[in-house]
Amino acid sequence: MTGSAEDEYRVVAAGVEKAFGANRVLKGVSFTVRRGTATAIIGPSGSGKTTLLRTLNALDRADAGVIRVDDVELDFGTPVSKPDVRRFQSRSGFVFQGHNLFPHRTVLQNVIEGPVFVQKRPRDEAVAEAVALLDQVGLADKQDRYPYQLSGGQQQRVGIARAVALKPQLLLFDEPTSALDPELVGEVLSVIKDLAVEGWTLVIVTHEIQFAKQVSQQVLFTDDGLILERGTPDEVIGDPKEERTRQFLDRILNPL
């Protein structure tokens, strides 16, 4: 599989396999993500959603298959070097379920960590951009606070600002609202919607079905390590073709 930065696709995955011991979590998954679009990955617990997302940043290295993110391609059927993995990982920013902020560093220090110490960018430049990002996510007045002084929603917004500060080609979100109290979910989803409107390329694992419908141009429904259905939100969520997709959505959207 070949490609270049000029291609219309920001992500191309082909035949991605991943197992943990005897458990085959991904079974030859293939899909593409167009640049400047949002893709939502939905499906039941244990269907492989998070593992699939983590392979896109090599947090979990695939056992087989090829993944290209922007201009960097890894063929997991061959030995992959650490420098190649670092280049691959530098193309994306990852927003975790549980914030993963450095507890002993302020909000501002958390956001500038990657640009200054990983990307070796000038500190003054990184600070100015971090302050602007914190303003964008509604936390301009929190830059000197520590994570324990913030709500869960505020911590997650800091996590988003930290990922965006790296200026990646791709932003990956792993259930970004799953650890939040219900009243805090909206503030985080609003920030992600703004990023989608700005034209960032997003891949979002989410259980917020209505949010997936509103923000994404593509929805992937996963089950048992496979992508069973893909298409626009209207196709997959509004008029699913697969019985398994219909069962899942009915259970989520029409709980007893």
Side-chain angles (χ1 to χ4, degrees):
M1 182 174 64
T2 61
S4 69
E6 289 75 34
D7 289 346
E8 63 180 317
Y9 297 112
R10 181 129 277 168
V11 177
V12 179
V16 178
E17 303 262 354
K18 179 63 181 177
F20 296 99
N23 182 22
R24 289 184 66 207
V25 181
L26 299 177
K27 303 173 181 177
V29 172
S30 301
F31 68 99
T32 58
V33 176
R34 293 182 185 274
R35 61 182 64 250
T37 66
T39 292
I41 304 176
I42 64 172
S45 297
S47 63
K49 303 186 301 294
T50 289
T51 299
L52 176 57
L53 192 76
R54 289 171 64 89
T55 63
L56 299 184
N57 189 251
L59 289 170
D60 287 335
R61 293 199 196 183
D63 299 323
V66 181
I67 304 174
R68 173 164 59 85
V69 176
D70 207 53
D71 61 336
V72 182
E73 180 175 291
L74 292 183
D75 182 346
F76 292 97
T78 63
V80 176
S81 70
K82 287 184 178 179
D84 285 343
V85 171
R86 284 195 292 269
R87 286 185 65 235
F88 182 78
Q89 291 178 324
S90 73
R91 296 305 188 265
S92 60
F94 204 101
V95 179
F96 298 87
Q97 292 183 33
H99 324 311
N100 282 24
L101 301 178
F102 296 110
H104 58 291
R105 293 185 178 145
T106 67
V107 165
L108 182 64
Q109 289 169 339
N110 266 278
V111 177
I112 68 172
E113 173 81 13
V116 172
F117 295 103
V118 178
Q119 297 179 334
K120 308 300 182 185
R121 287 161 51 195
R123 184 181 180 85
D124 289 348
E125 172 189 306
V127 167
E129 292 179 358
V131 169
L133 281 172
L134 289 171
D135 182 56
Q136 182 179 340
V137 300
L139 295 172
D141 60 337
K142 308 293 186 187
Q143 66 182 54
D144 295 323
R145 300 284 183 90
Y146 287 87
Y148 75 89
Q149 296 174 302
L150 305 178
S151 70
Q154 290 170 335
Q155 290 185 48
Q156 192 63 296
R157 283 185 279 157
V158 174
I160 294 171
R162 181 178 61 179
V164 173
L166 295 169
K167 299 182 179 180
Q169 284 73 37
L170 173 67
L171 286 170
L172 306 170
F173 296 84
D174 183 17
E175 295 277 14
T177 61
S178 65
L180 302 180
D181 293 332
E183 66 268 22
L184 302 177
V185 168
E187 65 188 55
V188 172
L189 297 185
S190 177
V191 171
I192 300 173
K193 286 179 184 178
D194 288 344
L195 294 171
V197 170
E198 291 171 16
W200 287 83
T201 307
L202 314 177
V203 179
I204 310 159
V205 170
T206 184
H207 60 278
E208 301 283 349
I209 301 301
Q210 292 302 332
F211 168 70
K213 191 171 183 178
Q214 293 167 12
V215 78
S216 63
Q217 287 77 45
Q218 174 178 230
V219 176
L220 309 179
F221 173 72
T222 63
D223 190 41
D224 194 29
L226 300 168
I227 296 176
L228 292 190
E229 192 158 358
R230 79 190 74 200
T232 67
D234 285 343
E235 291 169 340
V236 177
I237 298 173
D239 186 26
K241 302 298 185 290
E242 297 292 330
E243 178 62 25
R244 183 68 185 90
T245 313
R246 290 195 291 271
Q247 292 173 351
F248 170 79
L249 291 170
D250 184 62
R251 191 166 64 248
I252 295 295
L253 298 175
N254 301 295
L256 294 178

